[in-house]
């Protein structure tokens, strides 16, 4: 076996030397007026055409299209400005194909031995390294896409000439006739190639409407909304890379969940490594804590002591109050404080007495609100006695600090993903970082996928989305009709008001592009039988399929149960708290809320209907909790692309007395 490999290595070396000598002769004959360095670079690029790449040579730069992407290479001394102009022209040319602007990478070749750190959005390589480095790029385009993109660019960029390495015969990758350009066929081929790849792989192709949003210039704050699966996060990530290439400041990409920034950072580093270090991916609270620490503002965040403070406040001001007639449990009233009073930054009772309590179904008259306010004041007093802050305090302190400084932050733009999960104070804080600057603030999210109680309108935050600065995506690129119908059936009767104030029905019409998904429903009489079916279904998946598989649970208790179950069955597990977006051959295990912003080829939801077994809720607060539970289940179901496995127990044991 070793001898065979050595023989193949020698054969490849002879072939490469032959190609290199042929390329040097061809460049000398046709580009004799060019300098020595430019001819050496062009010869390296010409060798790549024998290995599946296409070369379009212009006067000051060269466009290279290959399995590794689209590169605009400058080696003739035209300077950064000329190279960036050429890159922008190439971006415009490929936009009609649905290619994101981050798919086009400008490369400046300089004398030297190796690549350096780059210059703004330009990737700088040494002239002796350029061919090898480009050839080593991860595979992003299939052969038919390379051919169709290059054909299109030859027509769109008439000042560039298509050149191939001449070895006496036409290289096999160039042998197919050009024919007519099939735009729809290219899009479908690119989409199908991405579906076959690992779920984490960079998506080179977007719909042209999405590309337009990535490249658009907005005169102020903007918002992108749309149902689940319409590519909002994909657009937001490409937008972050696009802005990073066109500004000198940093880009802040914020979400509520603390596991998503690691995943999103991995995705951006894969698709746009040249600008990945210019984008800060953070959860909102972790960013606010660090921001305060940098400015010397003390933060004493302690969840246990805050919880103790509330428990004592409930004992003194809640347990015997009129509030128990509405809901006897303290959890509802802790949410009222967290999401309505402190989440909105209310500091006076009259503010609370007049506020519209979005997404809260239990109506409260003035005397009941007075009881809530007394509970809130008691909690605040108990919290201050212990010298601690809660999570809402962190955001309020950061907002006050930013407001005092009049902005004063290093960010050129802020992108907020899953904005519907933030509190009003959180949105005000992020808006204050960039104000109403053009292209400064982009809010991305969908009110139907809210997994936390309470709500707000953008106008409450002083954010005005006018005209085309509010865009709605309407094409689902993730879910098949079977999977989407199953998910929509859960929330069909739950109309909601999005953060733009628009009332929206639970079942929304969307266009679909994917049709191969499958819903499997398993109903067993006992929990033990249900779990055996679950383990069997996971073990029956093809080799390597666990990398694109998630098992999602509604609670931490269920999470622990299924982690132990899979461990006993020898099925590898990666908790979503540790998942960073890189492919790993293990089931991703997490709660419905942890799965927000992610997608998987296969999603397993054991005992997905357990929360609805109690029948129709008979109180306003119970109906609110049931609606929130359905929203979380909807989010979990719409994470699935190819397979949605729904498990039920038909005869659950009677509750313990």
């Amino acid at each position: 076996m070793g001898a065979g490999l050595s023989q193949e290595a020698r054969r490849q070396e002879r072939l490469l030397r032959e190609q290199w000598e042929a390329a040097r002769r061809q460049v000398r004959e046709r580009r004799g007026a060019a300098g020595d360095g430019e001819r050496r670079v062009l010869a390296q690029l010409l060798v790549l055409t024998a290995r599946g790449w296409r070369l379009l040579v212009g006067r000051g730069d060269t466009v290279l299209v290959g399995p590794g992407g689209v590169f605009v290479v400058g080696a003739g001394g035209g300077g950064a400005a000329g190279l960036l102009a050429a890159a922008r022209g190439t971006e415009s040319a490929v936009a009609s194909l649905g290619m994101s602007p981050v798919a086009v990478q400008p490369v400046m070749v300089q004398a030297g031995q190796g690549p350096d750190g780059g210059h703004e959005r330009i990737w700088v390589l040494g002239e002796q390294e350029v061919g090898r480095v480009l050839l080593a790029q991860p595979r992003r385009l299939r052969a038919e896409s390379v051919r169709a993109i290059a054909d299109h660019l030859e027509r769109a960029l008439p000042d560039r000439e298509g050149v191939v390495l001449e070895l006496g015969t036409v290289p096999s990758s160039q042998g197919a006739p050009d024919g007519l350009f099939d735009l729809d066929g290219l899009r479908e081929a690119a989409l199908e190639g991405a579906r076959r790849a690992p779920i984490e792989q960079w998506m080179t192709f977007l719909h042209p409407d999405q590309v337009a949003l990535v490249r658009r210039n907005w005169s102020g704050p903007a918002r992108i909304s749309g149902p689940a699966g319409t590519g909002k996060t994909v657009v937001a990530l490409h937008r972050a890379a696009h802005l990073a290439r066109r500004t000198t400041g940093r880009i802040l990409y914020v979400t509520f969940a603390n596991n998503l920034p690691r995943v999103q950072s991995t995705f951006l580093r894969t698709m746009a490594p040249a600008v990945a270090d210019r984008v800060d991916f953070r959860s909102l609270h972790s960013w606010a804590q660090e921001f305060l620490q940098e400015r010397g503002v003390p933060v004493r965040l302690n969840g246990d002591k805050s919880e103790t403070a509330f428990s004592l406040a409930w004992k003194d001001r809640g347990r015997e109050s009129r509030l128990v007639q509405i809901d006897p449990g303290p959890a509802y009233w802790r949410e009222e404080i967290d999401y309505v009073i402190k989440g909105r930054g209310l500091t006076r009772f009259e503010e609370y007495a007049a506020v519209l309590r979005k997404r809260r179904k239990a109506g409260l008259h003035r005397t009941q609100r007075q009881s809530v306010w007394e509970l809130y004041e008691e909690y605040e007093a108990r919290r201050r006695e212990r010298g601690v802050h809660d999570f809402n305090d962190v955001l309020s302190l950061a907002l006050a600090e930013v407001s005092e400084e009049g902005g004063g932050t290093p960010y050129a733009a802020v992108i907020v993903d899953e904005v519907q999960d933030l509190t009003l104070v959180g949105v005000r804080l992020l808006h204050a970082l960039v104000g109403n600057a053009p292209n400064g603030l982009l809010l991305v999210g969908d009110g139907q996928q809210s997994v936390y109680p309470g709500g707000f309108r953008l106008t409450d935050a002083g954010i005005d989305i006018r005209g085309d600065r509010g865009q709605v995506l309407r094409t689902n690129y993730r879910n098949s009709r079977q999977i989407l119908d199953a998910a929509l059936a859960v929330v069909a009767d739950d109309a909601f008001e999005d953060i733009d104030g628009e009332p929206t029905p639970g079942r929304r019409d969307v266009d679909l592009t994917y049709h191969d998904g499958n819903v499997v429903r398993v109903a067993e009489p006992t929990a033990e039988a249900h779990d055996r079916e679950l383990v069997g279904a996971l073990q029956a998946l093809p080799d390597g399929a666990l990398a694109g598989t998630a098992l999602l649970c509604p609670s931490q208790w269920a999470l622990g149960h299924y982690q132990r179950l899979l461990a006993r069955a020898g099925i590898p597990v990666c908790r979503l708290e540790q998942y960073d977006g890189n492919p790993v051959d293990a089931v991703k295990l997490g709660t419905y809320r942890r799965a927000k912003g992610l997608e998987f080829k296969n999603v397993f939801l054991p005992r997905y209907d357990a929360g609805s077994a109690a029948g129709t809720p008979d109180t306003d607060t119970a109906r609110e909790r049931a609606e929130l539970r359905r929203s979380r289940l909807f989010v979990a179901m719409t994470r699935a692309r190819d397979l949605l496995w729904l498990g039920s127990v038909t005869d659950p044991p009677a509750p313990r007395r």
Side-chain angles (χ1 to χ4, degrees), residues 61 64 73 98 101 136-137 177 184 206 252 297 310 330 364 384 398 417 448 464 549 581 586 591 609 620 625:
D61 57 76
L64 194 66
V73 182
Q137 290 301 296
D184 293 334
L206 305 176
L252 177 62
V297 179
F310 179 79
L364 300 179
R384 285 192 291 267
D417 203 358
Q448 190 171 36
D464 185 10
T549 298
T591 62
D609 56 352
D620 288 337
R625 283 191 290 269

Side-chain angles (χ1 to χ4, degrees), residues 112-144:
Q113 294 299 314
D116 67 13
H119 171 69
E120 295 183 354
R121 67 164 294 197
I122 299 174
W123 192 8
V124 182
L125 297 177
E127 67 173 39
Q128 297 181 16
E129 308 286 336
V130 59
R132 176 176 58 80
V133 171
L134 294 181
L135 191 60
Q137 290 301 296
R139 183 180 180 87
R140 289 166 175 155
L141 298 176
R142 297 164 63 199
E144 55 267 38

Side-chain angles (χ1 to χ4, degrees), residues 448 481 484-485 488-494 505-509:
Q448 190 171 36
R481 172 58 66 188
L484 188 59
D485 281 347
L488 286 173
V490 172
V491 295
D493 298 327
D494 295 335
R507 182 178 287 275
R508 292 182 281 178
D509 292 331

